[in-house]
Amino acid sequence: MPTFEKTREAPAAGRRTAPPAWGGTAAGVGTATIFLSAVVLIPLGTVLWQGTAQGPAAFWDAITAPDAWAALRLTVAASVVVALVNLVMGTLIAWVLVRDPFPGRGLIDLLIDLPFALPTIVAGLVLLALYGTDSPVGITLAYTRAGVVVALLFVTLPFVVRTVQPVLLELDGEMEQAAASLGAGSWTIFRRIILPNLLPAMLAGTALAFTRSMAEFGSTVLISGNVPFKTQVAAVHVFGQIESDNTAAAAAVSTTLLMVSLLVLVTIDLVHRWGARRG
């Protein structure tokens, strides 16, 4: 009995002597907070302040001006289209890269990240050379809304692919084999086993593609032609307002883009939390 008591108390004593890591945690949190404040929070707060400094009426007038409202409508509509296309095609590309071996797969996988490495203005120049008025492929998309969508698709391609691909790689194949052995078809396996695991990554990548499209400038400024009321996106409109020394209006439109992007990100996060609770 005494031996048992001694053995039982030893681990407890050992646990009591383990030093907590509060010092390191506090330093890490402090460093991260300072960095995020300097790089993200303070600049965003400045934009919000400039956009709303003249009051709600001036803010509303700035974003509902005919040219600003047209640019915002085009940007939101094009971003929704791009996000939905990326949701489907990005998932399909990730599936092919993970599940379907084929010659040249490594090269394709490498090219997926090219939009991250390529300056967006160069991407716009390439697209203009390919789909401009002298298109070598016979397709003219320059100065059209379709050209804006293609440019946004180019720069947002990696987001869904790179968020879905790791989940596919880590997905337990034994569950699919077990379902198949019990008579489940391919569609049932995908719908009941694979899709629930992929959905959070798919939604996260789609949200990133949407928010990137909302703020894109370089790839659209050339192929869109910057035609007000037709092909001018919001980022290009903001640039034009700054050139015209209308900083308040530029900040107001920028604030609207920020609010829409934050709304989408918060909505996706709430969907994730709801799905986690139901799971």
Side-chain angles (χ1 to χ4, degrees), residues 217-231:
F217 174 84
S219 65
T220 60
V221 66
L222 295 179
I223 197 168
S224 70
N226 194 21
V227 182
F229 305 103
K230 184 180 179 183
T231 61

Side-chain angles (χ1 to χ4, degrees), residues 47-130:
V47 171
L48 290 172
W49 177 78
Q50 288 185 344
T52 58
Q54 297 180 359
F59 176 84
W60 182 253
D61 289 341
I63 66 173
T64 56
D67 54 346
W69 191 246
L72 286 170
R73 286 203 316 269
L74 173 60
T75 302
V76 173
S79 297
V80 169
V81 172
V82 167
L84 293 176
V85 172
N86 272 301
L87 175 63
V88 177
M89 297 307 301
T91 304
L92 177 61
I93 293 172
W95 181 277
V96 170
L97 290 174
V98 173
R99 296 294 184 95
D100 298 328
F102 59 91
R105 184 174 61 172
L107 178 61
I108 298 298
D109 190 55
L110 181 64
L111 291 177
I112 295 296
D113 292 327
L114 185 60
F116 284 152
L118 192 67
T120 54
I121 192 69
V122 176
L125 181 61
V126 171
L127 293 172
L128 184 62
L130 185 61

Side-chain angles (χ1 to χ4, degrees), residues 198-205 207 265-279:
L198 291 184
L199 191 58
M202 292 167 61
L203 292 178
L265 293 176
V266 170
T267 301
I268 295 297
D269 183 67
L270 292 176
V271 171
H272 283 175
R273 294 175 185 270
W274 176 79
R277 286 197 300 267
R278 286 181 62 90

